[in-house]
Every structure is written in structure tokens, then in C-alpha cells.
Amino acid sequence: MTKVFFVRHAEPNYENHDDRIRELSPRGMEDRKKVTAFLADKNIDIVVSSPFKRAVDTVKDFADKNGMIVEIVEDFRERKVDSGWIEDFTSFSKKQWSDFSFKLSDGECLKEVQDRNISALNIVLEQYSGKNIVVGSHGTALSTIINYYDKSFGYDDFENIRFLMPWIVEFSFDELGNCTGIKRHSV
């Protein structure tokens, strides 16, 4: 059996609008210790992450304390919304969840985010079969992964976790790569 612990990043600094280098807030830096404590007894073999700083930094405390490196997987990155900051994020999110192909001119639709993240997950599952894996992730990216395996997960569920940071979702996979269970953990 393979277990994958997707870790939605801790609270970021919302003043920084650069998605790739947005760091954790002081609260986020403190809250990542909760992730480290949760993962302490999970026999983790490998830590991978989205390349975005807030995701890396959320799992890096655990990796550092356990003498591991954080392997960057570009395709685990968060959805690209557009070239600029979106003021009415709620309306935008509702449109995307009601139509997985909806996107702004310079952004990604949820179907693209889901396909990219599932493809990356399948590679990780093949490469680390039988291992316990941590993946530093994001709210939307992780939500599309949950939706892939559980179609009932939709906009209302996404809205319920929108401000839940950090958040851990544990996926279990059999030796063929089939998802056999999903558990949500608040930390």
C-alpha cells in the first residue's frame, strides 16, 4: 500500500501577490510545526512539493527535522488564475467549479489543473510505490485531486476548506495505483 499525505500550505502572506514566491505569514511559519508534529509518526519515506515557496516552506520544517530534502515537482503547482490579482475570487471560483473548462484569458481551468496534478501524482505513485509520501500542495490543486477520486467534492466543499490552512488529506493506494481511501485531517 502507498500512502500520500497532501499538505495544503499554511497561511501565506496575502500582501505578496506573486504566486510563485509568496511566503508564509508569521502565523503560517508557526502553524507548519503542526504539520511536522502530525507527520512525526507516519513513517514518511519521501517529501515532494509544488515549487511555490509557501508549499515548500510548509513541509520543509518536517523534511529538515528528519534529514530529508524536498523534491520539487513542477506539476503539483497551484492553478494559474490570470496574469493579475482577482478581486472577486468567490464569483470566479463558483464559475470554475460549475464549469471545469472555464478560465480567464491567461489562466488555467480546473480540468487543466486536475489533469496536471493527477499526471504528477501518477508518476510519484509509480516511482515511490509502497512508500509513505508527503506532497506540499495548495487548496485548489488539492481540491481537484479529491474531486478526481470523489466526484461529490465540489464548490461547497472547496469553500469550506478555503481558509483551512494547513490542511492534510491522506490518500491510500493499492499496488495498482487505485485509490482505496481518502481521509481528511485538521491539524
Side-chain angles (χ1 to χ4, degrees):
M1 174 171 303
T2 304
K3 289 200 176 202
V4 182
F5 297 88
F6 275 90
V7 178
R8 191 233 182 135
H9 62 77
E11 181 184 81
N13 170 14
Y14 289 110
E15 297 300 313
N16 181 348
H17 292 183
D18 187 325
D19 220 20
R20 205 165 264 276
I21 62 169
R22 184 176 306 129
E23 69 279 8
L24 295 176
S25 70
R27 177 181 172 180
M29 290 297 286
E30 195 61 33
D31 283 351
R32 72 187 189 155
K33 294 175 186 172
K34 296 175 184 177
V35 171
T36 299
F38 175 86
L39 295 171
D41 64 349
K42 305 300 186 282
N43 299 314
I44 302 302
D45 297 296
I46 186 82
V47 179
V48 301
S49 180
S50 152
F52 290 13
K53 183 169 177 43
R54 62 192 181 276
V56 172
D57 286 351
T58 300
V59 297
K60 191 172 182 340
D61 184 65
F62 171 81
D64 287 351
K65 283 183 171 37
N66 289 279
M68 303 170 115
I69 61 162
V70 178
E71 178 185 327
I72 301 303
V73 177
E74 183 69 28
D75 282 346
F76 279 134
R77 70 189 178 278
E78 180 61 298
R79 156 195 60 188
K80 181 175 183 187
V81 174
D82 201 11
S83 294
W85 188 258
I86 301 298
E87 291 301 327
D88 187 359
F89 185 76
T90 300
S91 294
F92 170 73
S93 290
K94 282 181 181 177
K95 284 181 187 175
Q96 284 213 302
W97 280 95
S98 66
D99 177 2
F100 258 47
S101 66
F102 174 78
K103 63 181 174 179
L104 299 176
S105 61
D106 196 25
E108 289 180 289
C109 68
L110 293 184
K111 179 70 173 134
E112 291 169 323
V113 176
Q114 185 179 64
D115 288 349
R116 175 171 46 75
N117 275 269
I118 292 297
S119 177
L121 176 57
N122 286 335
I123 291 168
V124 166
L125 288 172
E126 186 176 314
Q127 188 174 6
Y128 300 112
S129 179
K131 304 288 186 185
N132 293 332
I133 306 158
V134 170
V135 179
S137 189
H138 304 272
T140 302
L142 177 51
S143 293
T144 67
I145 294 168
I146 297 169
N147 171 269
Y148 180 83
Y149 295 109
D150 176 4
K151 293 297 181 203
S152 72
F153 189 98
Y155 174 76
D156 289 339
D157 300 293
F158 172 74
E159 189 59 32
N160 286 337
I161 63 100
R162 187 166 161 196
F163 298 105
L164 188 57
M165 296 176 256
W167 184 50
I168 299 174
V169 180
E170 175 185 349
F171 293 80
S172 298
F173 295 91
D174 65 19
E175 60 280 346
L176 300 175
N178 298 309
C179 184
T180 59
I182 301 173
K183 293 180 190 171
R184 302 173 195 179
H185 303 280
S186 295
V187 292

